[in-house]
Amino acid sequence: MRVLVAEDEEILAELVATGLRRAGFAVDTVYSGDAALAYLGLHDYDVVVLDRDLPRVHGDDVARRLVAAGSRTRILMLTASGTMEDRVEGLDLGADDYVSKPFEFPELVSRVRALRRRSARPVPPQLERHGIRLDSVRRAATRDGRDLDLSPKEFTVLQLLLEADGGTVSAEELLERAWDANADPFTGAVRVCMSKLRAKLGEPALIRTVQGVGYAL
């Protein structure tokens, strides 16, 4: 759901981030290893797309620190070094996957999705509850066979509610998992998104507000 792109080529970093956002991820970007470590310490990322040759703190050292800390964030190394020796070295450092530049963007998105499914919060590609069926690979959702025309943010919020399997998800968790670091927690973004999602799901209402706690489906 939430991805950190750590890449010192700013144009490439923003291109990768834009593409991942279009695929439904919440994405933050940083351009140095020390900034990557700072963000990883502040937010709970599912995947970090990590360039090996980062300034100030090398990408290899970022990977080592994540592994040493027992982080559940999956590491996708993205680098111009594509030899077998480089791939083996990167994987031995603790990377979960390795992609060489230049790369095909659909493959990168697919690999990020695959790492999300292998994370400490494993998620099946299809989720169902109360007549709602959500396909996280095709990015499609239906209710009782009716297509739901959801925005990427609405889709992600619905997925988080389905993953909770009837449990309550707080507004703070939704903001952390579905929005990026630029989201203002005081804008009411979660409430507005939830209102639109409820309208699209239709009647009878499925999402209930648990006063002072959050939302449940």
Side-chain angles (χ1 to χ4, degrees):
M1 293 292 180
R2 190 160 187 181
V3 180
L4 178 66
V5 176
E7 165 61 61
D8 66 327
E9 296 180 37
E10 294 189 21
I11 293 176
L12 177 59
E14 294 307 322
L15 285 173
V16 170
T18 298
L20 290 173
R21 290 185 186 110
R22 288 174 179 167
F25 296 99
V27 186
D28 297 320
T29 55
V30 293
Y31 314 116
S32 64
D34 56 343
L37 289 171
Y39 270 63
L40 288 162
L42 286 172
H43 306 290
D44 187 14
Y45 292 99
D46 295 289
V47 178
V48 55
V49 178
L50 181 66
D51 181 40
R52 288 188 73 177
D53 194 21
L54 289 173
R56 293 199 285 275
V57 177
H58 197 275
D60 289 358
D61 292 324
V62 174
R64 289 190 187 98
R65 295 192 199 183
L66 279 176
V67 173
S71 173
R72 61 185 182 182
T73 300
R74 297 296 186 182
I75 302 170
L76 174 61
M77 279 193 168
L78 185 65
T79 177
S81 302
T83 66
M84 181 190 70
E85 291 78 9
D86 287 321
R87 291 196 299 271
V88 169
E89 184 180 4
L91 293 170
D92 284 345
L93 284 169
D96 298 282
D97 202 353
Y98 196 107
V99 175
S100 301
K101 303 174 188 175
F103 54 87
E104 296 293 333
F105 201 82
E107 179 185 4
L108 179 67
V109 172
S110 180
R111 287 176 180 268
V112 170
R113 284 198 182 115
L115 290 180
R116 165 70 169 109
R117 292 194 294 271
R118 288 162 47 195
S119 72
R121 297 178 289 269
V123 178
Q126 292 192 1
L127 296 164
E128 292 187 50
R129 188 176 179 85
H130 298 314
I132 295 176
R133 176 175 293 180
L134 182 145
D135 187 326
S136 62
V137 176
R138 293 176 50 244
R139 303 292 297 175
T142 61
R143 180 179 182 180
D144 298 327
R146 172 176 60 87
D147 287 336
L148 301 172
D149 184 20
L150 303 180
S151 71
K153 200 69 67 184
E154 292 159 0
F155 186 95
T156 300
V157 168
L158 179 60
Q159 183 173 350
L160 289 168
L161 292 173
L162 285 166
E163 287 175 14
D165 197 24
T168 303
V169 184
S170 69
E172 291 78 11
E173 183 178 354
L174 289 171
L175 195 66
E176 169 71 18
R177 305 300 310 152
W179 277 262
D180 61 29
N182 296 316
D184 185 343
F186 302 106
T187 61
V190 173
R191 178 177 50 80
V192 171
C193 181
M194 196 66 67
S195 176
K196 293 179 179 178
L197 178 58
R198 281 171 163 151
K200 290 183 179 181
L201 288 174
E203 298 294 337
L206 292 178
I207 300 174
R208 59 189 178 90
T209 301
V210 182
Q211 196 64 36
V213 181
Y215 304 90
L217 188 139

